Amino acid sequence: MKTVFKVLIGIAVVALAYLCYTSVATPVKFDKIQKQREELIAKKLKDIASFEVAYKTVNGKFANADELTNFLENGKLFYIIAEGDYTDEMRDKGLTEKQAAAQGLIQRDTVLVSAKDSLLRDTPYKTPQEILSVPGFPDKSIEINTGEVKQYIGQDTINISVFEACVPMSLYLGDLNEKQRAQKIEAAMKLNSGKGYPGLKIGSLEELKLTGNWE
């Protein structure tokens, strides 16, 4: 009887130790996976922001998802070919850079180049469509929204193009512990006076912004 009792106590001790371990290990593992995934997503969101800026320089506004991928596949960018330096000596003579170019002292030519070749050449993306896939979840897409906000300049009002690209926690943490995920989402929503976004987002539909909510 005493032997059985000792065995039961031993089992109870092991079970308690396991519960204590998992209560600590589960959140730590969750945080590690979250950090790894968010680093990859954040990098891709910053890439998207840079592509959006390139699109806007050509089209005067930011792009939705279809417009952006089409631009990266078929669009063109203005590229300035510069030969020769605009020197202090030229400036001292009263020559503008445009005048120096007209006199053949320097060369400044604007040409059109492929957006795909220029913007994707040094990136890991093989196709424009790959840019919108969520890292680790290739069948899911990064959401891109566009809009306009009013900006007041003196007595005039102009509309400013804005965009946001975002990935919710419910997606990239969807396969992890449900309780931990719910706590993370709740904590994120409480940020920014209760206006926090539960996930990673770059840009804004309320202001002209090109930074991410993790920065």
Side-chain angles (χ1 to χ4, degrees):
M1 191 68 179
K2 289 182 179 181
T3 302
V4 174
F5 186 68
K6 289 181 180 180
V7 170
L8 292 176
I9 292 178
I11 294 174
V13 169
V14 172
L16 181 61
Y18 176 76
L19 290 175
C20 290
Y21 169 77
T22 54
S23 67
V24 174
T26 299
V28 170
K29 182 179 179 180
F30 189 103
D31 291 345
K32 181 179 180 181
I33 295 174
Q34 179 183 1
K35 181 180 179 182
Q36 291 172 340
R37 292 180 180 180
E38 289 186 341
E39 285 177 349
L40 295 175
I41 294 172
K43 183 182 183 306
K44 181 167 280 195
L45 290 178
K46 289 182 76 69
D47 288 341
I48 287 175
S50 68
F51 299 148
E52 285 280 1
V53 171
Y55 179 93
K56 187 174 185 292
T57 61
V58 176
N59 298 280
K61 67 181 185 69
F62 289 115
N64 61 34
D66 290 338
E67 290 169 337
L68 186 62
T69 53
N70 182 64
F71 169 69
L72 292 171
E73 183 68 56
N74 306 302
K76 301 290 184 179
L77 283 174
F78 294 108
Y79 181 76
I80 297 177
I81 298 177
E83 293 183 5
D85 297 324
Y86 178 55
T87 64
D88 291 338
E89 183 180 355
M90 297 175 191
R91 189 179 296 106
D92 292 340
K93 290 180 179 180
L95 291 175
T96 64
E97 190 169 357
K98 184 176 181 180
Q99 291 171 332
Q103 293 183 22
L105 300 175
I106 59 176
Q107 183 178 348
R108 298 291 187 267
D109 292 328
T110 301
V111 297
L112 286 174
V113 298
S114 164
K116 184 177 183 179
D117 292 341
S118 178
L119 298 176
L120 301 187
R121 181 177 54 194
D122 298 323
T123 72
Y125 311 121
K126 296 179 181 178
T127 66
Q129 292 72 26
E130 186 181 341
I131 294 165
L132 296 183
S133 67
V134 179
F137 301 86
D139 59 328
K140 303 295 182 181
S141 297
I142 295 172
E143 181 180 353
I144 297 181
N145 300 303
T146 60
E148 292 183 337
V149 295
K150 295 185 181 299
Q151 188 172 79
Y152 300 95
I153 302 178
Q155 295 182 342
D156 297 326
T157 302
I158 60 174
N159 291 325
I160 302 295
S161 179
V162 293
F163 86 98
E164 67 174 17
C166 48
V167 185
M169 286 182 177
S170 58
L171 192 161
Y172 65 83
L173 300 180
D175 58 337
L176 301 181
N177 183 274
E178 182 178 356
K179 180 180 179 180
Q180 296 292 325
R181 182 175 67 250
Q183 291 174 347
K184 295 283 186 176
I185 291 174
E186 182 180 1
M189 293 177 67
K190 290 181 179 179
L191 297 174
N192 193 24
S193 301
K195 297 181 181 180
Y197 176 72
L200 294 185
K201 179 176 73 169
I202 198 166
S204 171
L205 294 182
E206 299 178 354
E207 60 180 323
L208 181 57
K209 181 180 179 182
L210 297 174
T211 55
N213 64 346
W214 65 90
E215 297 178 296

